[in-house]
Amino acid sequence: MTITPLMPVYPRCGVRPVRGEGCHLIGERGERYLDFASGIAVNILGHGHPALVKAIADQAATLMHVSNLYGSPQGEAFAQKLVDKTFADTVFFTNSGAEAVECALKAARRYHYVNGAPERVKIISFTNAFHGRTLGTISATNQPKMRDGFEPLLSGFEVVPFNDLEAAKAAVDDTTAGFLVETVQGEGGMTPATPEFLKGLRQICDEQGLLLILDEVQCGYCRTGTFFAHEQYGIAPDLMAVAKGIGGGFPLGACLATEEAARGMVAGTHGSTYGGNPLAMAAGEAVFEIVANDEFLANVRKMGDRLRQSLEQLIPNHDHLFDSVRGVGLMLGIKLKDTAEARGFVAHLRDNHGLLTVAAGENVVRILPPLVIEESHIAECIEKLSAAARDYEAAA
Ligand code: PLP
């Protein structure tokens, strides 16, 4: 037998973390890494945050899991907090981002179904999107590397160019249910939706009775300096997928919905064995209590500005390698020049300089630090990036 016990769907690198301390990870051989990947935008409180650790430990000792067939005081309390803080009137808890998107897709179809328009099934999504790896969520992307070999995918999806409002408008027909869009594309290359685009989609939805589904799995939960990224556009969705940061490392996601958009989601239409169990709710509430306030968000914006300025200052010193900085808040990316390759530079940063980042589409190195970083972490990151750029150039 040659297959590994872990199904080999990830090209795993040589970093084998065994412990986390704040913004650092420690590998099997005791080596330290500055973690500016955060489990791909997940560990917003860093590693081993005492309040999160305690909340999980206390809840595990009290009550870990019960079925969703029973009342959920923990779920009600956390859902109420999310409702009070967002556009939403109701929440379905999931265990991951893809499940949160799936719930939103199902809610959108059910909405039209109960409104007497069962033909409205088509979801319009956008190029370079990433919404997860389930059959439904890969149906909403145009990326062959995710789709190949998994056909037939779900029908009722159409992918049009991102940030192209005219194309989005032109794709709407009598079978359209709504749009699914990342407010800031993550995997696709750290590209924000333009204000005209997002506001335009909202307007089309309002005029034609369609639903706007935002995927804020990566860009939501304080990452861009507001609780959710769409707040910076002055619009609100009808449905929104959330995950990653919401659990701070505990597997948790949520589909947030207005009362209207959730009209079809009545008893028996959807479910999850684990979704929103007491342990997940304890983790979610602990994270929420720390991050969902103006002071925390102001600090994310401040650190985001500092990091961005420092990155921008780096560019002219290494302009054979670095092209530009993009992104919002602490969801940043460095676009590399065409002569370099993001995956290779990410590996060099990791293996030779102990800095963890993530590659994204469009030749971008994603910088997704914990949201609790301090000036010292920014200085450490810049030092490592600069040293790495120097010897990468030298090696090239
Ligand atoms: N949506 C977006 C925007 C994402 O970035 C991701 C994961 O990277 C997902 C959905 C899928 O989330 P998960 O991997 O938790 O299913």
Side-chain angles (χ1 to χ4, degrees), residues 10 40 95-101 130-134 137 182 184-187 215-219 241 243-244 252 366:
Y10 279 99
I40 316 193
N95 314 288
S96 69
E99 285 170 272
V101 177
F130 182 74
H131 299 295
R133 297 291 199 152
T134 59
T137 54
E182 288 161 87
V184 183
Q185 285 193 337
E187 308 286 319
D215 180 344
E216 293 221 10
V217 166
Q218 188 162 152
C219 65
K244 293 191 184 271
L252 173 61
R366 263 185 288 183

Side-chain angles (χ1 to χ4, degrees), residues 307-361:
L307 180 54
R308 190 187 189 104
Q309 278 164 15
S310 307
L311 292 173
E312 274 167 357
Q313 279 164 11
L314 265 189
I315 303 271
N317 299 335
H318 307 281
D319 56 2
H320 294 302
L321 180 60
F322 298 148
D323 179 83
S324 50
V325 180
R326 42 164 83 179
V328 193
L330 285 171
M331 184 174 182
L332 294 171
I334 308 176
K335 182 167 171 53
L336 301 188
K337 288 274 164 65
D338 291 344
T339 44
E341 200 251 326
R343 249 165 246 290
F345 188 60
V346 164
H348 175 63
L349 283 169
R350 179 187 72 216
D351 298 338
N352 303 321
H353 294 274
L355 175 62
L356 302 182
T357 57
V358 199

Side-chain angles (χ1 to χ4, degrees), residues 1-9 12:
M1 193 155 18
T2 55
I3 195 162
T4 47
L6 275 178
M7 195 179 282
V9 292
R12 291 174 190 272

Side-chain angles (χ1 to χ4, degrees), residues 123-386:
I123 302 291
I124 299 169
S125 60
F126 299 93
T127 48
N128 284 337
F130 182 74
H131 299 295
R133 297 291 199 152
T134 59
L135 281 170
T137 54
I138 64 174
S139 304
T141 177
N142 67 330
Q143 303 197 44
K145 66 175 189 238
M146 286 166 213
R147 298 169 60 105
D148 283 357
F150 296 113
E151 284 97 354
L153 298 181
L154 293 194
S155 56
F157 288 85
E158 183 172 348
V159 181
V160 302
F162 183 58
N163 274 336
D164 183 340
L165 189 58
E166 289 312 311
K169 241 182 230 168
V172 173
D173 60 25
D174 292 347
T175 68
T176 303
F179 298 106
L180 169 63
V181 61
E182 288 161 87
T183 314
V184 183
Q185 285 193 337
E187 308 286 319
M190 308 301 250
T191 317
T194 63
E196 310 73 60
F197 179 65
L198 211 56
K199 286 181 180 164
L201 294 184
R202 177 70 271 171
Q203 196 183 346
I204 298 171
C205 288
D206 291 343
E207 286 168 1
Q208 306 202 33
L210 309 181
L211 297 177
L212 179 62
I213 307 170
L214 291 183
D215 180 344
E216 293 221 10
V217 166
Q218 188 162 152
C219 65
Y221 236 75
C222 307
R223 177 61 53 191
T224 65
T226 45
F227 192 34
F228 287 102
H230 66 263
E231 295 164 28
Q232 295 172 44
Y233 293 77
I235 59 115
D238 302 295
L239 292 153
M240 181 169 68
V242 181
K244 293 191 184 271
I246 190 174
F250 194 91
L252 173 61
C255 174
L256 274 57
T258 62
E259 181 171 12
E260 176 69 9
R263 278 192 61 192
M265 301 305 276
V266 297
T269 54
H270 196 50
S272 164
T273 296
Y274 294 121
N277 82 9
L279 192 57
M281 296 299 91
E285 273 212 73
V287 175
F288 182 94
E289 291 306 326
I290 296 166
V291 307
N293 60 74
D294 293 341
E295 201 186 330
F296 187 88
L297 287 165
N299 197 53
V300 172
R301 290 194 293 273
K302 182 170 146 195
M303 289 298 131
D305 288 347
R306 296 269 158 90
L307 180 54
R308 190 187 189 104
Q309 278 164 15
S310 307
L311 292 173
E312 274 167 357
Q313 279 164 11
L314 265 189
I315 303 271
N317 299 335
H318 307 281
D319 56 2
H320 294 302
L321 180 60
F322 298 148
D323 179 83
S324 50
V325 180
R326 42 164 83 179
V328 193
L330 285 171
M331 184 174 182
L332 294 171
I334 308 176
K335 182 167 171 53
L336 301 188
K337 288 274 164 65
D338 291 344
T339 44
E341 200 251 326
R343 249 165 246 290
F345 188 60
V346 164
H348 175 63
L349 283 169
R350 179 187 72 216
D351 298 338
N352 303 321
H353 294 274
L355 175 62
L356 302 182
T357 57
V358 199
E362 300 188 342
N363 214 20
V364 168
V365 175
R366 263 185 288 183
I367 310 219
L368 295 162
L371 302 183
V372 293
I373 50 165
E374 296 170 3
E375 309 268 3
S376 62
H377 301 112
I378 294 181
E380 189 182 343
C381 167
I382 296 299
E383 213 171 279
K384 286 177 185 299
L385 265 173
S386 174

